[in-house]
Amino acid sequence: MGTSVFDSILLKNSWSTQEMRNVFNDEARIQRWLDVEAALALVQADLGMIPAEAAKEIAAKSQFDQIDMDYVLHHLAITKHPLVPVVRGLEHACEGDAGEYVHFGVTTQDIIDTGLILQMKDATAILRRDLEEMAGYLLNLSVEHRNTPMMGRTLSLQAIPVTFGFKTAIWLSEIDRHLQRLDEMDARVFVGSIVGAVGTKASFGPKADAMEKAVNERLGLGTPNISWQPARDRMYEFGAVMGGINATLNKIGNQLLLLTHNEFDEIAEPFGEGQVGSSTMPHKRNPAVTENSVTVSNTLKSNINMMSDITKHEHERDGAIWKMEWKIIPEICLMLSVVTANLNFVLGGLEVKKTSMLANLDLLKGYALAERVMFALADKLGKQTAHEEVYHAAMKGIEGGITFKEALAANTAISGALTEAELDTLLDATTYVGDSPNIVDQLVSDVKAGGRIA
């Protein structure tokens, strides 16, 4: 692969992971809290709950660069509280008495939960874009290799032929379903929380419902039908969907690694000029990027497992459980962005080795075509008899170290039913890929019709 193309793909996907880091760094987290505080103040002013001038000042100062972070860190050391130092920093930044109306009626969990939901929404947009990119690569591979024969494998052993496009089309169908799941979870998961100390809205008065709805709409979020402070199924659903995506990407990465083995040598990931595979073996062209995707994906699974614990809230708020999300959810998004970036790099420049695939089709000296021969004999001998005759011929031939054609020719029942020319046709592995090309075409058509993938 040319160096310029290699560098272009690498740079593009490195930027993608940096975007995800920018969603979850300290500045972004605090800014999302400030976004909620600003929306709250502006809506409360609209409803006559706080002075309009105070709300304008709060909104104007609800920017990270307007906050004195030394002041915030000083109060963090004193209060040992995750949000109060930022609230005090916003109060400190406001002119006049506007600071008196900051954080009016809400509780810490309102701001942190809603801020995290905003970060999750941002993260999902990045992930969706990267999955769409991956789907594009898989779609192109599927179309290009709809007729590229390779050996299908079941239970680790050679089975019967497929096409490489058929294999990648299956991966494409999985990615399409994950994009559908992202769409379906949107309305349920991306919901704000402006409900006060224990979710009863006691501090807001009669305008509480209107206020909550307006704040959420200003932030681009849905409004729940009841407090979800102790009901974390939304966070669990988010983790479950991310876990499902990770599971598919883990499978794809693992399969790519298997196909790169020298003994298979059917694909290779991009390898740029100057790239080094080993510090001691100069010949190595290690599938390092694919390997990294699998490594990170394997590690991510532990965070997915922990998501089941976050629904176990005690009473109306449980800090020991709730605060686990602050670690788990950002890590899931950050790690998943690395996995998608790695696989996009690999799939975007994947080398498909057709010659090796053809060679591997004959690795078993024709025995992988036993099913085909059996069904050809079924019309003449009966299916069960054909199975028995082919089975005995195959077992005897394998033990004798001869080709399948030789084994079949040595069986009088089979040689009496099929000519040599018919056997030659039946033992051409490249023509026994079933309906793979048409299946690929239909899948690609269905995926495009779904509208999630161009």
Side-chain angles (χ1 to χ4, degrees):
M1 164 169 250
T3 304
S4 61
V5 178
F6 177 90
D7 290 343
S8 175
I9 297 173
L10 187 62
L11 180 62
K12 179 180 180 181
N13 290 292
S14 295
W15 173 243
S16 178
T17 58
Q18 184 59 52
E19 283 184 290
M20 191 67 82
R21 293 188 187 99
N22 291 342
V23 170
F24 288 104
N25 63 24
D26 288 344
E27 180 177 342
R29 182 175 65 255
I30 292 173
Q31 183 58 60
R32 280 315 199 178
W33 294 347
L34 294 171
D35 290 342
V36 181
E37 295 286 3
L40 175 69
L42 291 171
V43 167
Q44 288 179 331
D46 288 343
L47 294 174
M49 299 170 71
I50 67 172
E53 289 304 314
K56 290 178 183 178
E57 177 65 9
I58 292 169
K61 296 300 170 62
S62 292
Q63 299 296 324
F64 184 85
D65 59 8
Q66 294 289 316
I67 305 299
D68 183 343
M69 289 309 298
D70 288 336
Y71 183 89
V72 170
L73 292 173
H74 170 72
H75 283 271
L76 178 63
I78 295 171
T79 64
K80 308 295 190 296
H81 192 279
L83 182 67
V84 165
V86 175
V87 172
R88 289 184 179 178
L90 179 55
E91 293 171 2
H92 181 69
C94 289
E95 300 291 338
D97 66 348
E100 296 293 333
Y101 300 97
V102 169
H103 198 73
F104 193 81
V106 289
T107 188
T108 293
Q109 190 164 7
D110 286 334
I111 305 302
I112 290 182
D113 276 354
T114 307
L116 181 55
I117 290 291
L118 290 170
Q119 289 177 287
M120 289 159 57
K121 187 174 182 179
D122 292 340
T124 300
I126 294 172
L127 179 62
R128 165 175 268 287
R129 182 202 63 201
D130 291 349
L131 285 177
E132 289 173 352
E133 179 185 344
M134 185 180 299
Y137 293 139
L138 290 173
L139 190 149
N140 291 338
L141 286 167
S142 300
V143 171
E144 180 180 355
H145 296 286
R146 64 188 290 280
N147 290 308
T148 302
M150 67 178 295
M151 186 54 70
R153 298 170 175 96
T154 60
L155 306 182
S156 300
L157 303 180
Q158 288 201 348
I160 59 175
V162 295
T163 68
F164 186 64
F166 178 79
K167 181 183 286 286
T168 57
I170 291 175
W171 301 347
L172 172 62
S173 70
E174 290 187 63
I175 298 300
D176 186 44
R177 287 193 294 278
H178 287 310
L179 289 170
Q180 185 177 21
R181 291 181 181 104
L182 290 179
D183 290 341
E184 290 169 348
M185 80 170 188
D186 189 282
R188 287 190 299 270
V189 172
F190 299 138
V191 170
S193 175
I194 307 295
V195 293
V198 292
T200 63
K201 305 180 184 179
S203 57
F204 298 126
K207 298 178 180 179
D209 288 347
M211 181 202 69
E212 182 188 23
K213 187 173 187 294
V215 171
N216 285 324
E217 287 178 351
R218 182 178 282 271
L219 293 170
L221 300 176
T223 299
N225 54 10
I226 195 170
S227 168
W228 56 274
Q229 287 180 354
R232 313 309 286 186
D233 57 290
R234 289 182 172 87
M235 299 303 199
Y236 178 80
E237 179 177 359
F238 180 84
V241 172
M242 297 302 136
I245 294 170
N246 183 62
T248 289
L249 301 188
N250 188 266
K251 185 273 293 288
I252 293 173
N254 271 301
Q255 289 204 28
L256 291 172
L257 282 180
L258 288 172
L259 296 177
T260 63
H261 288 186
N262 295 124
E263 291 78 7
F264 291 163
D265 195 33
E266 293 183 345
I267 60 103
E269 71 173 43
F271 198 91
E273 183 178 346
Q275 186 176 347
V276 176
S278 168
S279 64
T280 187
M281 295 172 284
H283 71 284
K284 296 293 291 297
R285 293 169 67 104
N286 295 339
V289 181
T290 310
E291 184 180 68
N292 189 66
S293 76
V294 175
T295 299
V296 177
S297 180
N298 286 340
T299 307
L300 173 53
K301 293 176 187 177
S302 62
N303 277 357
I304 300 300
N305 289 338
M306 284 192 287
M307 290 298 290
S308 62
D309 282 338
I310 66 174
T311 61
K312 191 178 61 178
H313 263 55
E314 292 185 1
H315 307 298
E316 279 60 57
R317 184 176 305 137
D318 183 352
I321 300 296
W322 172 45
K323 294 174 184 178
M324 290 168 59
E325 296 169 4
W326 306 354
K327 170 188 182 293
I328 296 172
I329 290 177
E331 285 186 359
I332 287 173
C333 296
L334 288 163
M335 295 167 78
L336 196 52
S337 75
V338 172
V339 177
T340 54
N342 285 171
L343 286 179
N344 276 337
F345 169 80
V346 173
L347 294 170
L350 191 69
E351 179 184 355
V352 179
K353 300 186 177 184
K354 297 181 181 180
T355 301
S356 294
M357 289 179 175
L358 283 173
N360 288 336
L361 284 173
D362 198 39
L363 187 66
L364 296 185
K365 300 179 181 179
Y367 287 96
L369 279 302
E371 178 192 74
R372 187 182 200 182
V373 174
M374 179 195 70
F375 280 113
L377 284 168
D379 290 339
K380 301 178 180 182
L381 304 180
K383 193 271 182 183
Q384 302 306 327
T385 299
H387 185 284
E388 288 297 315
E389 293 297 339
V390 173
Y391 170 80
H392 289 304
M395 294 302 103
K396 187 173 181 179
I398 291 170
E399 292 169 4
I402 61 177
T403 67
F404 190 38
K405 181 180 178 180
E406 291 170 334
L408 293 171
N411 182 293
T412 56
I414 295 172
S415 61
L418 296 172
T419 67
E420 182 177 0
E422 288 175 322
L423 281 179
D424 286 338
T425 299
L426 291 170
L427 295 177
D428 181 358
T430 65
T431 63
Y432 194 56
V433 295
D435 204 28
S436 292
N438 292 328
I439 293 172
V440 170
D441 292 344
Q442 186 60 56
L443 185 279
V444 169
S445 176
D446 290 346
V447 162
K448 289 183 176 180
R452 291 174 290 276
I453 298 171

